[in-house]
Amino acid sequence: MDPTTDNAGQSGDPGTARDALEALRAEIAKAVVGQDPAVTGLVVALLCRGHVLLEGVPGVAKTLLVRALASALELDTKRVQFTPDLMPSDVTGSLVYDTRSAEFSFQPGPVFTNLLLADEINRTPPKTQSSLLEAMEERQVTVDGTPRPLPDPFLVAATQNPVEYEGTYPLPEAQLDRFLLKLTIPLPSRQDEIDVLTRHAEGFNPRDLHAAGVRPVAGPADLEAARAAVAKTTISPEITGYVVDICRATRESPSLTLGVSPRGATALLATARAWAWLTGRDYVTPDDVKALALPTLRHRVQLRPEAEMEGVTADSVINAILTHVPVPR
């Protein structure tokens, strides 16, 4: 038996939990090449009990990344392909009539899992998109007036294609704000792409992660210990003020029609705190805030049409704000 499999999920020590979560990068790298920032973002989201929007062109291993993460964390995962004809009950579950008992029983939908991959979420109508809102915010699903709790941990990793907008339903700002992070999955570098092709030539099968050598290196107990440690990470009043100043600056930017809400400010503080703990510190620095500002805030702002026509992006506006907002000493 693999010793990592035997011990996965048994630790409750914060130091051991940090080492286990750090080991995720190496484990996932057995299946996914060159996506360390996305792996880190998903771990941060799990520590903050948040959700992630993954944006990238088809074929950059978004689905494989989530599956590999679930395998390395020994978590259950399900995938839903969002299409124009998908109904809310296809996601949440529904009541099914049992002819033997002459009663209705609840048949859970795929949302009852630890890691839900909502593939191409912007291809389904708003009614079905909104079926995830209660699950994401309240960690439960209400069917026929009865709330049903979801497993813990629970994370929605939703993907969307940034280049094909025909026949899509863009997520409204209210739902975008429910995602803790928006991670962009870039095309691989030349060397990374060579490594991908070499692996496939040597027989790598993305549908068989066990054969690729991906093993559980952490588990739910490690996540719980890590979350407790993150909650004890110190945040000074100066850091809190720095986060508020950054978010307020987005509301005053001439390039934006919509700035970051207080929920976004809370999210930035939480992600910076998780990142500080992951890097081995028990206090948050301005660099932690800067490191998580783009993925935490880029989907919470809205560009003015004229700025968009001039080639301005949300990332460039946030980077400019980070340059101008005074950094606490």
Side-chain angles (χ1 to χ4, degrees), residues 232-256:
K232 296 176 182 176
T233 302
T234 304
I235 302 171
S236 69
E238 291 78 15
I239 293 296
T240 304
Y242 183 50
V243 169
V244 168
D245 289 343
I246 291 171
C247 294
R248 289 181 69 85
T250 65
R251 300 169 205 162
E252 299 165 1
S253 171
S255 299
L256 302 176

Side-chain angles (χ1 to χ4, degrees), residues 3-316:
T4 58
T5 304
D6 191 37
N7 296 325
Q10 301 303 313
S11 169
D13 176 66
T16 305
R18 183 190 287 116
D19 293 340
L21 293 178
E22 279 294 318
L24 280 176
R25 294 179 183 176
E27 203 62 25
I28 293 172
K30 295 176 181 178
V32 182
V33 177
Q35 296 293 359
D36 276 359
V39 174
T40 301
L42 286 164
V43 172
V44 166
L46 281 167
L47 291 177
C48 298
R49 292 182 168 86
H51 308 284
V52 175
L53 187 61
L54 299 170
E55 186 171 271
V57 298
V60 290
K62 298 187 293 294
T63 302
L64 180 61
L65 175 62
V66 175
R67 289 180 52 240
L69 177 69
S71 181
L73 276 173
E74 211 170 21
L75 297 175
D76 183 44
T77 181
K78 291 186 174 68
R79 175 180 177 272
V80 179
Q81 181 66 50
F82 279 70
T83 57
D85 60 348
L86 194 74
M87 299 296 291
S89 59
D90 296 329
V91 178
T92 60
S94 58
L95 294 175
V96 178
Y97 185 72
D98 188 339
T99 54
R100 289 174 295 180
S101 63
E103 294 180 347
F104 285 94
S105 61
F106 178 66
Q107 183 67 36
V111 75
F112 286 86
T113 186
N114 297 123
L115 269 66
L116 175 68
L117 178 62
D119 218 353
E120 295 190 293
I121 191 172
N122 56 335
R123 294 205 172 277
T124 200
K127 182 178 181 180
T128 305
Q129 290 175 0
S130 64
S131 67
L132 280 176
L133 283 176
E134 182 187 15
M136 292 169 67
E137 193 68 20
E138 307 296 335
R139 289 338 195 246
Q140 67 178 27
V141 168
T142 302
V143 177
D144 196 36
T146 303
R148 293 173 169 85
L150 295 171
D152 184 44
F154 173 68
L155 179 142
V156 174
T159 73
Q160 63 179 13
N161 183 343
V163 294
E164 256 185 354
Y165 287 110
E166 186 176 349
T168 63
Y169 304 85
L171 293 173
E173 285 72 23
Q175 186 158 2
L176 282 171
D177 205 35
R178 294 300 197 282
F179 286 97
L180 182 72
L181 300 172
K182 179 182 178 182
L183 305 175
T184 56
I185 311 296
L187 288 165
S189 66
R190 183 177 185 273
Q191 186 55 53
D192 284 344
E193 196 162 359
I194 289 173
D195 291 345
V196 170
L197 268 63
T198 301
R199 290 186 182 191
H200 280 267
E202 293 172 349
F204 171 70
N205 181 1
R207 296 173 183 81
D208 189 354
L209 294 177
H210 186 79
V214 179
R215 301 288 187 271
V217 293
D222 294 306
L223 278 177
E224 279 305 310
R227 286 170 172 175
V230 168
K232 296 176 182 176
T233 302
T234 304
I235 302 171
S236 69
E238 291 78 15
I239 293 296
T240 304
Y242 183 50
V243 169
V244 168
D245 289 343
I246 291 171
C247 294
R248 289 181 69 85
T250 65
R251 300 169 205 162
E252 299 165 1
S253 171
S255 299
L256 302 176
T257 59
L258 180 69
V260 177
S261 69
R263 179 190 287 149
T266 303
L268 180 55
L269 198 64
T271 55
R273 199 180 203 182
W275 173 244
W277 180 82
L278 276 174
T279 51
R281 280 178 283 101
D282 61 357
Y283 59 91
V284 181
T285 69
D287 285 341
D288 298 324
V289 176
K290 289 182 177 181
L292 273 297
L294 283 180
T296 309
L297 303 181
R298 59 164 58 111
H299 57 297
R300 302 176 193 270
V301 300
Q302 191 172 59
L303 289 166
R304 292 188 182 278
E306 54 270 27
E308 202 166 0
M309 290 175 65
E310 292 172 2
V312 176
T313 65
D315 284 14
S316 66

